[in-house]
Amino acid sequence: MSEDVPVDTPQGPGRWLVDAPGRPGALLLLGHGAGGGLESRDLTTLARRLPAEGVAVARFAQPWLVAGRKVAVRPPQLDEAWLAAVPTLRGRWPEAPLVTGGRSAGARVACRTADAVGAAAVLCLSFPLHLPGRTTSRLEELLAPAVPRVVLQGARDPFGGTDELRTALAGADPAADVTVLDVPDAGHDLRPAKRAGISPDDWRELLLGAARRALAAAAG
């Protein structure tokens, strides 16, 4: 059963939902997207599966979500709440390698704050390279951390599909340690179309494989 851990932040009360083995060998902290909560398919799969592999998984509910609001706050406020919340769990397992990440907006927060919280790697699920139909890029956020980043991206994500993301990275610093993994024929929700022929087990392994890659990078 998940443990509910309330936490105070400058933005108001937030909470962690923690799934952990007795003595975790790594810590994975995940943030949710701007349009969803902690129960998205990808976040819940990681929380249910990785503890059996010795990983503590904690999902953070931003204060705006806890308060029942429908619209996310601005990025600096998201970062402020996250930075205040992370030490609560980091203090539990200070020796465990730390991976931060999340889905969409949560991935952006993790990238912007990775160095500040001491993350050893970042896991991005559907990194939103840009708004649909817009050209303003958020690539600088993905390039900001000084640690390895693993990005699991839908091939036809309207926020920037796999090919578009790889093209953007190809024109960036060649030393950037960013691995982009593909979910064929999937949108921003990472759910592949039926025509892709990807079974639920195959999809789960794509997701877990991305997380394992980030965890391995953090372990050195």
Side-chain angles (χ1 to χ4, degrees):
M1 180 179 294
S2 301
E3 178 188 4
D4 203 322
V5 180
V7 59
D8 291 326
T9 84
Q11 294 297 319
R15 70 182 180 96
W16 289 104
L17 200 58
V18 183
D19 294 89
R23 299 184 64 181
L27 174 59
L28 175 60
L29 304 182
L30 299 168
H32 58 79
L38 305 185
E39 303 305 321
S40 64
R41 183 187 184 199
D42 45 10
L43 299 185
T44 56
T45 297
L46 294 176
R48 290 170 182 166
R49 298 282 177 166
L50 287 177
E53 300 180 20
V55 180
V57 180
R59 293 166 283 166
F60 180 58
Q62 284 276 350
W64 68 266
L65 186 70
V66 173
R69 296 194 292 271
K70 302 299 183 182
V71 180
V73 297
R74 301 292 297 167
Q77 296 169 293
L78 296 174
D79 292 357
E80 184 179 54
W82 177 263
L83 289 168
V86 167
T88 298
L89 291 189
R90 190 69 183 122
R92 285 192 178 189
W93 301 291
E95 303 303 321
L98 173 63
V99 176
T100 60
R103 128 161 305 280
S104 194
R108 295 179 64 197
V109 172
C111 285
R112 292 192 299 259
T113 62
D115 296 341
V117 302
V122 178
L123 173 65
C124 299
L125 306 172
S126 296
F127 183 86
L129 184 63
H130 55 70
L131 291 173
R134 304 286 184 87
T135 58
T136 302
S137 175
R138 295 161 174 159
L139 184 64
E140 287 188 3
E141 293 183 354
L142 183 58
L143 295 175
V147 297
R149 283 131 285 165
V150 177
V151 185
L152 186 64
Q153 201 80 354
R156 54 178 177 81
D157 189 335
F159 290 81
T162 314
D163 289 344
E164 185 179 354
L165 183 56
R166 286 175 174 151
T167 297
L169 288 166
D173 181 355
D177 190 355
V178 183
T179 300
V180 179
L181 304 174
D182 179 57
V183 182
D185 210 354
H188 197 59
D189 60 2
L190 293 180
R191 291 176 179 266
K194 290 183 178 180
R195 61 177 175 264
I198 297 174
S199 71
D201 287 344
D202 292 338
W203 180 87
R204 190 180 303 115
E205 282 307 307
L206 286 173
L207 175 65
L208 292 172
R212 290 170 186 143
R213 189 157 185 163
L215 290 162

